[in-house]
Amino acid sequence: MSNFEIGLWSFPALLLLIFLRMPIGLAMFVTGLVGLNLVTDGNTVALAKLKTETYSTFSSYSLSIVPMFLLMGQFATIGGMSQALFKASESWLGHRKGGVAMAAVGACAGFGSICGSSLATAATMSQVALPELKRYGYSGGFSTATLAAGGTLGILIPPSVILVIYAILTEQNIAKLFLAAFIPGILAAVGYIITISIYVRLNPDSAGTRPPVPMHQRWRALVDVWPVLVVFLLVVGGIYLGWFTPTEGAAVGALGTGLIALVNGGLRGRAWLDCFYATAKSTGMIFFIVLGAAFYNGFLALTQVPQELSRWVVEQGFSPWTVLTIILVLYLVFGCLMDSLSMILLTIPIFFPIVSVMDFGLSAEEFAIWFGIIVLIVVEVGLITPPVGMNLFVINSMDRETPISKTYGAVMYFVGSDIARVVLLVLFPGITLGLLRLFH
């Protein structure tokens, strides 16, 4: 069997390990390690790579941004920022039909601007918003679907851990990727709010109403979210003004949210240790997935699978848009099988070389950034696509009374909104690249 054939057979072998419930990082690590032994006729290369790859992965300065953003999200959670965001959104939108659900989406967007993780955003905001949605008569399936969809804003609205990983894999500028994600992130939030408006009109019994909040209370609630605005402007604004690098900005954000949580009384007792423990646990999981992906992708590089696939696609004469469509459909399928980080790490080293040699009418840098945002959005859709959308299970675990089938039915409205947004951004790349072209 040739090295290329071994590389091709590694895909079903990897999927088999995942179906057998082996952790995705370990599955990629094992497949890569065994593959390296097979294509190099021994374990010398595999053991040498085990030493060098482990050190280079865990000592990477670029990856140090990940624990900083995760710690920022932990501090923001216990600092009461999620409650303040939801209260402010609810005071302005809650009296409308479906307004409490709209407020939950708005709060998810705000929290995503200081969190960077989809699952963390979904889990945190569900603790705040689910009781209020139940209180005002929102159906269980509609409530959980709204929060699952809103949680996906955590990885799209900057800062985003997934965008950082993509930037490292494709050697792109993190700050430019963050800038390009702004308008798609806003479109996502607006699209979800429109979806909620349509849903409650088609299903009038799915949402109750609540009395309007006096105007002075609305302004007071809006003032209470100033810590979120300060941290967001400090981190993102500081990066674009050149005050500090993205990694330094993440550290500044973690410090800022930590100080706010301390002032708000959220860091009492063991809260400090709990934040650092949760951050270390999440960082360890992410880093091991990165290590497993590095081993597997290193093995694939030796087998020439990405290069041969790229050459084969070019020789077939497929149009760039056909290839892009096929790739995006594959991401939707993968989204039903694995989490967003694993998808990015597993597929980008294979798909990016294929599409990067095609002509989409963009410069190399613009294409890489545009493609990254499109992929991120489709990965985001995978998080809420039945039957195995990760966000759906996270939210339903917090509402045991609601059958997950009810969540599946309601969330398809949000999936439709996401697909429409993907089509819009694919057809009009200028929407994604507009701010980038304006400021650079």
Side-chain angles (χ1 to χ4, degrees), residues 229-305:
L229 185 62
V230 168
V231 171
F232 177 74
L233 291 177
L234 182 63
V235 173
V236 179
I239 291 172
Y240 294 125
L241 291 174
W243 294 350
F244 32 69
T245 65
T247 303
E248 293 165 347
V252 170
L255 176 63
T257 50
L259 291 175
I260 292 168
L262 183 64
V263 171
N264 291 343
L267 290 179
R268 293 174 180 168
R270 288 182 50 86
W272 277 100
L273 290 177
D274 291 341
C275 284
F276 283 110
Y277 174 75
T279 300
K281 185 177 178 180
S282 298
T283 301
M285 177 193 71
I286 291 173
F287 274 32
F288 188 74
I289 293 174
V290 172
L291 178 64
F295 259 85
Y296 184 63
N297 292 326
F299 152 68
L300 286 181
L302 285 177
T303 64
Q304 296 290 303
V305 166

Side-chain angles (χ1 to χ4, degrees), residues 219-402:
W219 287 110
R220 186 182 305 164
L222 202 58
V223 170
D224 289 340
V225 301
W226 69 266
V228 177
L229 185 62
V230 168
V231 171
F232 177 74
L233 291 177
L234 182 63
V235 173
V236 179
I239 291 172
Y240 294 125
L241 291 174
W243 294 350
F244 32 69
T245 65
T247 303
E248 293 165 347
V252 170
L255 176 63
T257 50
L259 291 175
I260 292 168
L262 183 64
V263 171
N264 291 343
L267 290 179
R268 293 174 180 168
R270 288 182 50 86
W272 277 100
L273 290 177
D274 291 341
C275 284
F276 283 110
Y277 174 75
T279 300
K281 185 177 178 180
S282 298
T283 301
M285 177 193 71
I286 291 173
F287 274 32
F288 188 74
I289 293 174
V290 172
L291 178 64
F295 259 85
Y296 184 63
N297 292 326
F299 152 68
L300 286 181
L302 285 177
T303 64
Q304 296 290 303
V305 166
Q307 297 90 330
E308 289 298 322
L309 286 177
S310 176
R311 184 178 60 81
W312 180 82
V313 169
V314 172
E315 289 177 351
Q316 300 311 304
F318 296 133
S319 74
W321 301 103
T322 300
V323 175
L324 180 64
T325 301
I326 294 172
I327 288 174
L328 296 182
V329 171
L330 287 174
Y331 272 115
L332 286 176
V333 175
F334 288 149
C336 297
L337 304 173
M338 62 186 73
D339 64 275
S340 54
L341 177 63
S342 302
M343 274 192 282
I344 292 292
L345 287 167
L346 179 62
T347 60
I348 288 300
I350 299 171
F351 291 158
F352 188 74
I354 293 175
V355 293
S356 61
V357 298
M358 297 184 167
D359 183 16
F360 288 88
L362 302 170
S363 68
E365 182 184 51
E366 284 186 336
F367 168 76
I369 291 173
W370 172 70
F371 180 70
I373 301 301
I374 297 295
V375 166
L376 186 68
I377 294 172
V378 181
V379 166
E380 167 195 319
V381 179
L383 290 172
I384 59 173
T385 302
V388 200
M390 297 287 289
N391 274 23
L392 302 180
F393 288 100
V394 169
I395 299 300
N396 261 83
S397 68
M398 300 182 179
D399 185 14
R400 299 290 186 181
E401 299 176 0
T402 301

Side-chain angles (χ1 to χ4, degrees), residues 98-140:
V100 180
M102 296 177 186
V105 169
C108 285
F111 193 76
S113 69
I114 54 173
C115 179
S117 167
S118 173
L119 295 179
T121 300
T124 301
M125 294 312 305
S126 65
Q127 294 174 0
V128 178
L130 262 180
E132 287 294 294
L133 290 165
K134 292 285 186 70
R135 178 183 173 190
Y136 292 109
Y138 284 70
S139 65

Side-chain angles (χ1 to χ4, degrees), residues 13 53 60 63 65 67 99 133 142 166 201-202 218 250 263 309 349 359 361 396 408 426:
E53 197 71 52
S60 170
L63 278 179
I65 194 174
L133 290 165
F142 178 44
Y166 175 84
R201 281 165 174 76
L202 295 176
R218 296 185 191 184
V263 171
L309 286 177
D359 183 16
N396 261 83
Y408 286 167
V426 167

